[in-house]
Amino acid sequence: MYNFNSDPRFKNVQPFEKRVWLSSPTMHGEELEYMKDAYETNWMSTVGTNIEELERLIAEKAGVKHAVALSSGTAALHLAVKLAGERLYGMPKAGNGTLAGHKVFCSDMTFSATVNPVAYEGGEAVFIDTEYDAWGMDPIALEKAFQLYPDVKLVVLAHLYGTPAKMDEIRNICDKHGAFIVEDAAESLGAEYKGVKAGKLGDYGIVSFNGNKIITGSSGGAFLTDSRADADKARKWSTQSREAAPWYQHEELGYNYRMSNVIAGVARGQMKYLETHIRQKRAVYERYKEGLCDLPVSMNPMDLQNSAPNFWMSCLLIDAEAMCESVRSERNYLFAHRFGKSCPDEILGALDSFNAEGRPIWKPMHLQSMYRSHAFVTADGDGRGNSNTCIHAQGHADHGADIFNRGLCLPSDNKMTCEEQERIIDIIHRCFE
Ligand SMILES: *Cc1c(COP(=O)(O)O)cnc(C)c1O
């Protein structure tokens, strides 16, 4: 491990006494009241007022007709993908998932929770490369993918770090090919694209209340839809598929995915602070943009022309010419420092050694060993057969690998003070010395 504390570039840099987090929960008080309510009325289960109210509030916030509160965003994605599979392909044969034998186009640069549910349902994810303007699914690559696999009927896409993907282009392509969209808005609650809220931009949407999201229940998630029948079905599946009968009557496979009324109390208390958190996160982003403008770097795109992002995460992208030599294996890295240059692993290491938490960009799914046999489509076509997938210069194939290699997530906690953020900006400057 490189020792930053004995590196003369970091002389006199004091470590943070209290760790500066990437994105930690921010409580306000109401959460505890609603939790106490659940306790005092003894609705300490997966039924109660907090759940009902939270579902109403989420639906209102996202502009959809129905929200179903679930145990996690991942559970919500699983039910969304399963429902989509059943709508598209009908009931599966016994022992099979609803997507058995079918390919599904998926965002490539995202958290694995976006794409794993496709495998839960027996489908085969085909990864679609990323564009540079919003760090979302690249419409050009998506169009290429439909040329290569014209039978595909389902697209699962994520908005990255709070910036909505290029939805007009993606929607047009999907309409042309008769494909259905599951929208993973886990990171982008409160964001908008051309006046429409994230979560309502696909055919089914999901949000997450995981601890590091813009608002949290400590855990939890929700499935979003305008269809009453689909909401009812997701709700039924999430409670072990009990039918309306005097005994435990089961006619379909079920899951234990319902949200707890205690957790719903936390999320319910947070709902009214969504706009406050967005404002604070935006200020963090803008301070970084200003404070780092003299370095050979850019910030993650916040496409303000078409959308109003929620600024969940501030990320940095180092200019290709300003990258020092660095290599990553499956589990480790090496870099050689050069004056005027740096790399994500150096900056993340420096931040960590002074007690601040950053994070690498989501490692693209096509680079994950568990998905190595799955197809990957770039703007140039087949991303697996392309010899320049190893050359990650901007403008070439494999944008995802390029952004992963040159990018990182900065400490983006909304409770970070200006003084703390200035010290972080200073540490980043020293990395380039
Ligand atoms: C957090 C996250 C999820 C999963 O949400 P959980 O509530 O943690 O299960 C899914 N997709 C993306 C893009 C996420 O960031």
Side-chain angles (χ1 to χ4, degrees), residues 10-26:
F10 298 94
K11 209 173 151 217
N12 300 328
V13 176
Q14 293 302 312
F16 292 100
E17 253 168 56
K18 216 171 76 223
R19 190 160 173 82
V20 179
W21 299 102
L22 184 78
S23 180
S24 71
T26 306

Side-chain angles (χ1 to χ4, degrees), residues 71-77 110-114 158-161 184-187 206-213 219-221 312 359 362:
S71 53
S72 67
T74 309
L77 276 159
T110 182
F111 185 38
S112 64
T114 310
H159 307 300
L160 222 72
Y161 301 132
D184 178 354
E187 302 179 355
I206 75 99
V207 292
S208 165
F209 295 104
N210 179 297
N212 70 15
K213 299 301 192 305
S219 67
W312 175 58
R359 186 155 78 184
W362 297 126

Side-chain angles (χ1 to χ4, degrees), residues 20 40 50 72 102 143 151 154 223 235 266 300 359 379:
V20 179
E40 282 165 358
N50 286 335
S72 67
H102 299 286
E143 182 63 63
D151 295 336
L154 179 59
F223 167 72
R235 197 173 281 116
V266 183
N300 52 325
R359 186 155 78 184

